[in-house]
Amino acid sequence: AQSVTQPDIHITVSEGASLELRCNYSYGATPYLFWYVQSPGQGLQLLLKYFSGDTLVQGIKGFEAEFKRSQSSFNLRKPSVHWSDAAEYFCAAMIKAAGNKLTFGGGTRVLVKP
Amino acid sequence: DGGITQSPKYLFRKEGQNVTLSCEQNLNHDAMYWYRQDPGQGLRLIYYSQIVNDFQKGDIAEGYSVSREKKESFPLTVTSAQKNPTAFYLCASSTPHREGNQPQHFGDGTRLSIL
């Protein structure tokens, strides 16, 4: 079955430190991949997306993600986190033939220490 | 500004009642989606619709119903058959596949609680 896994439920990071969030997918073919961010009580905002081509993708708010086919991974990174980056982050995947339906990982909640 | 509007933001339901959550979009998107979010479980797809007057069940459709009479609107009814309706409900929309590269846009959600 198709699935998306985010191994880390919570991550705590100090302000100014780097951040990496892990995402692994299990699909028969390479899916389209997305990272979304959700602030408490809010909807989801798209950070970045990967369809094909360059495996390092730049997104909004200083985030980037790297697609690694050999590891079935699409990890999200930020070199220096700000207190405003505290939120929940979701990795999602979609197969073109599957009606544009997204499959989400369970999410990673990021806490930022001053 | 274009976007997705979900209302109300908070909704309370008595046991045995049906309630309807509103989702309206002015993005001219053809496809619309309803997700349920529970703590620690990510988002799960309830129903989706790719065109007007057509919709399909998602992964957890039992106890829910939808309609798609207008392109802009995709209301979700939580029926009394849904035994555990307390959750955060998110509506999304997108343009359907041409090159398969249109991400979904989300509303701000409705939090449903049982009284």
Side-chain angles (χ1 to χ4, degrees):
Chain A
Q2 300 166 344
S3 66
V4 176
T5 302
Q6 293 179 245
D8 304 304
I9 297 175
H10 294 100
I11 285 182
T12 300
V13 61
S14 298
E15 192 168 15
S18 63
L19 174 67
E20 182 167 9
L21 305 182
R22 296 183 291 164
C23 173
N24 295 97
Y25 63 88
S26 176
Y27 278 76
T30 299
Y32 301 119
L33 295 161
F34 308 86
W35 275 99
Y36 286 88
V37 61
Q38 183 182 35
S39 298
Q42 301 295 315
L44 275 67
Q45 180 183 23
L46 180 69
L47 286 175
L48 46 77
K49 58 192 178 189
Y50 173 76
F51 298 132
S52 64
D54 193 346
T55 57
L56 187 62
V57 180
Q58 301 298 320
I60 63 171
K61 303 186 179 189
F63 285 93
E64 65 178 24
E66 186 172 12
F67 169 68
K68 292 186 177 180
R69 185 188 306 273
S70 61
Q71 298 177 19
S72 297
S73 69
F74 188 55
N75 293 350
L76 182 72
R77 300 193 293 248
K78 186 169 184 177
S80 176
V81 298
H82 186 262
W83 64 265
S84 60
D85 293 323
E88 189 151 22
Y89 293 80
F90 292 94
C91 182
M94 179 176 71
I95 289 290
K96 181 177 179 179
N100 205 21
K101 292 188 294 180
L102 283 172
T103 298
F104 284 87
T108 299
R109 184 168 298 279
V110 173
L111 303 175
V112 180
K113 295 190 301 184
Chain B
D1 287 343
I4 299 175
T5 301
Q6 290 189 241
S7 61
K9 190 166 179 66
Y10 299 95
L11 187 58
F12 299 92
R13 191 189 95 169
K14 293 182 179 179
E15 296 280 355
Q17 270 187 340
N18 294 352
V19 290
T20 298
L21 284 60
S22 170
C23 178
E24 303 278 334
Q25 55 98 1
N26 59 4
L27 298 167
N28 199 34
H29 285 172
D30 291 298
M32 297 186 74
Y33 308 81
W34 273 106
Y35 293 91
R36 170 181 172 137
Q37 186 177 23
D38 296 282
Q41 294 193 44
L43 281 73
R44 293 180 289 170
L45 182 65
I46 304 172
Y47 268 98
Y48 65 105
S49 168
Q50 305 224 52
I51 57 172
V52 175
N53 292 322
D54 188 44
F55 49 83
Q56 289 79 38
K57 292 181 179 180
D59 300 319
I60 56 165
E62 185 174 353
Y64 300 97
S65 65
V66 293
S67 62
R68 187 82 188 279
E69 297 176 0
K70 298 187 300 182
K71 186 176 184 178
E72 303 81 20
S73 179
F74 191 40
L76 173 74
T77 296
V78 184
T79 75
S80 57
Q82 172 49 241
K83 298 306 179 189
N84 185 23
T86 297
F88 190 51
Y89 291 87
L90 286 160
C91 179
S93 71
S94 71
T95 54
H97 284 280
R98 290 174 176 80
E99 296 300 326
N101 58 358
Q102 299 301 323
Q104 294 179 17
H105 296 256
F106 284 81
D108 284 339
T110 292
R111 186 166 298 281
L112 175 63
S113 301
I114 298 300
L115 290 177

